[in-house]
Amino acid sequence: MSKEIVIPFIPGDGVGPEIMRATKLVVDAAVKSTTAGEASLRWEELLAGEAAYKSTGHWLPSETLAVIRERGVALKGPLTTPVGGGIRSLNVTIRQALDLYASVRPVRYFEGVPSPVKEPQKMKIVIFRENTEDVYKGVEWRQGSKEAAEVIEFLRSRMSVEIAPDSGIGIKPISETASKRLIRASVKYAIRKRLPSVTLVHKGNIMKFTEGAFRDWGYQLAKEEFADVVLTEVEMKASGISKPPSGKIVMNDRIADNMFQQILLRPDEYSVLATPNLNGDYLADACAAQIGGLGLAPGANIGDHTAVFEAVHGTAPKYAGKDLANPCSLMLSAALMLEHLGLDEAATNLTDAIGAALADGIMTQDLARLKGTRPYGTAEFARELLAQL
Ligand code: NAP
């Protein structure tokens, strides 16, 4: 009997519904063609964003979160950030409500895609970005507010720290627990995928007790939990080894500004990056730019019990309803989801089909315009993939 896997999905706003439609088609085909009918997907639509607000008066109904929590997985289109109404961002709310602490962003090049760098194929990096704290925790007070004045006065009177009275204030919490669970996830990933290194990216030379501590906790974790597999760069240098012995992973660290140089100059020397929230946000888009932009970058938000896979771009409102959007980011995110569900062959098939289409010059307008080739519509692109799958 065929195994049915239920996939909750949020179509999303703007271009969301059209890229989701295209994605579901190709995902179904990839599963069908690789499991010989042994497994099939049942898609379960969930409300969030504008569609939810129109029908329920809530941007993110609690039922939606409850279903994702129960199923442990979801595929999500981009959601508009409501202006006003006290909601910072639906995306951030989903990540925090479900404790999806790792934002995982694999970045790789597909042959034939226009890129601003000379050797885009050297980029094959997976970024693990801490998703729950740092300055993104949302603890901040407006310049001139009572709270900002109180914090400034507390720092002056109790800590002997002078802050300009006309400052806005933001807090940057980085904890041992959140840092270690993120770095643990990145090391486990490197082990599972047989990748050679994990690099801790931080700005610890300046922010010693937050980002510096992130680095220190990373090395501590490697000693405490992965001593049999992880070797540090310092240990390697001390023993005069230039390459890690087979089966071992090197842990090293890079200061964030240097890391931005490294991704341009020597991207092939890095494989997994583990980083606090803000650095990871910047780095993920900078890496994606090198392989052709956000349209080709998949994303996953992963916790201990739940994972939500999503396109990393926004709702691209100017293309909404025009059949022009690039569905690859969502399709590649769906491929990550298939892998997460243990459907590795379907994931590989889907990724390969996308790669083959791009190599043949089959691409949507965002990429085709850079090459001067004929643009494919969103649905047409999906049909080309279906033919290959
Ligand atoms: P955006 O929606 O990512 O769009 C910015 C530009 O990126 C578009 O104008 C377009 O560039 C290009 N683009 C993005 N996705 C594309 C696709 N699939 N195909 C082709 N081109 C694509 O960013 P935004 O305009 O700043 O944000 C719009 C809304 O999305 C906001 O409400 C924002 O809060 C929300 N947002 C949601 C998420 C999420 O759900 N995870 C993430 C980011 C933003 P060109 O104009 O150059 O063609």
Side-chain angles (χ1 to χ4, degrees):
M1 210 176 68
S2 140
K3 180 177 154 208
E4 186 184 72
I5 303 169
V6 181
I7 310 281
F9 73 101
I10 297 171
D13 301 322
V15 298
E18 45 204 296
I19 58 173
M20 185 60 81
R21 211 173 301 124
T23 299
K24 280 163 49 198
L25 275 177
V26 298
V27 169
D28 279 335
V31 171
K32 201 170 161 196
S33 70
T34 51
T35 63
E38 290 290 306
S40 66
L41 307 183
R42 178 158 65 79
W43 298 90
E44 184 179 24
E45 182 166 345
L46 302 179
L47 278 175
E50 284 163 1
Y53 190 71
K54 275 189 201 131
S55 64
T56 68
H58 298 285
W59 288 97
L60 185 60
S62 52
E63 167 78 5
T64 293
L65 289 175
V67 172
I68 300 176
R69 208 174 272 123
E70 188 199 323
R71 301 278 189 211
V73 71
L75 184 65
K76 173 187 159 296
L79 293 171
T80 303
T81 298
V83 180
I87 300 176
R88 194 171 280 268
S89 149
L90 294 177
N91 304 302
V92 174
T93 308
I94 292 173
R95 288 170 207 159
Q96 290 185 348
L98 300 171
D99 200 22
L100 306 175
Y101 60 81
S103 161
V104 183
R105 294 266 298 264
V107 191
R108 58 157 284 193
Y109 179 65
F110 287 98
E111 217 43 62
V113 172
S115 154
V117 297
K118 284 187 189 150
E119 297 179 302
Q121 70 283 358
K122 285 190 170 178
M123 168 74 68
K124 203 158 196 253
I125 283 177
V126 183
I127 299 168
F128 275 71
R129 163 188 165 199
E130 205 290 322
N131 227 355
T132 63
E133 47 180 33
D134 199 349
V135 281
Y136 283 44
K137 184 84 185 170
V139 187
E140 55 175 10
W141 298 284
R142 197 185 297 278
Q143 181 235 46
S145 66
K146 180 173 145 282
E147 291 84 358
E150 274 180 22
V151 175
I152 291 169
E153 175 52 23
F154 172 81
L155 291 173
R156 192 194 62 75
S157 61
R158 301 283 294 276
M159 305 282 175
S160 306
V161 172
E162 288 297 333
I163 303 275
D166 57 348
S167 302
I169 300 280
I171 302 282
K172 180 183 175 76
I174 292 204
S175 69
E176 180 175 351
T177 305
S179 300
K180 281 189 170 170
R181 67 180 178 173
L182 181 273
I183 298 164
R184 184 180 296 113
S186 72
V187 175
K188 283 186 173 171
Y189 180 90
I191 294 172
R192 203 169 62 245
K193 295 279 187 178
R194 299 173 194 274
L195 295 171
S197 66
V198 173
T199 303
L200 308 166
V201 184
H202 60 90
K203 195 69 191 155
N205 52 331
I206 307 294
M207 293 171 271
K208 297 185 193 309
F209 306 130
T210 50
E211 305 227 350
F214 177 88
R215 171 203 56 215
D216 296 345
W217 290 322
Y219 284 125
Q220 205 181 78
L221 178 93
K223 270 213 166 57
E224 288 165 357
E225 299 182 22
F226 299 102
D228 52 336
V229 250
V230 175
L231 206 64
T232 67
E233 199 172 64
V234 174
E235 285 164 351
M236 274 176 49
K237 276 196 184 131
S239 335
I241 326 173
S242 60
K243 270 191 156 185
S246 133
K248 298 268 184 193
I249 291 168
V250 183
M251 181 176 278
N252 53 19
D253 74 280
R254 297 289 180 268
I255 290 175
D257 35 353
N258 177 24
M259 195 66 230
F260 278 88
Q261 279 199 76
Q262 299 292 320
I263 56 170
L264 277 167
L265 301 176
R266 290 204 288 271
D268 49 342
E269 290 183 15
Y270 298 88
S271 53
V272 176
L273 308 183
T275 158
N277 209 336
L278 180 63
N279 296 333
D281 198 3
Y282 295 154
L283 264 173
D285 282 18
C287 288
Q290 287 183 218
I291 53 100
L294 291 186
L296 291 170
N301 294 293
I302 296 183
D304 286 331
H305 309 290
T306 311
V308 174
F309 298 82
E310 65 173 343
V312 297
H313 55 75
T315 59
K318 74 187 211 197
Y319 296 131
K322 295 188 176 152
D323 194 36
L324 291 173
N326 185 350
C328 286
S329 174
L330 189 63
M331 288 178 174
L332 291 166
S333 306
L336 295 181
M337 180 185 74
L338 292 174
E339 204 181 298
H340 178 82
L341 293 169
L343 298 168
D344 292 39
E345 209 185 324
T348 307
N349 247 26
L350 177 53
T351 309
D352 288 351
I354 293 171
L358 294 169
D360 282 348
I362 297 167
M363 46 187 75
T364 45
Q365 56 83 30
D366 51 317
L367 302 173
R369 69 187 169 187
L370 301 173
K371 293 189 74 153
T373 55
R374 171 175 98 71
Y376 283 68
T378 312
E380 191 186 11
F381 182 82
R383 281 196 298 275
E384 290 288 338
L385 295 193
L386 283 182
Q388 301 202 31
L389 287 161

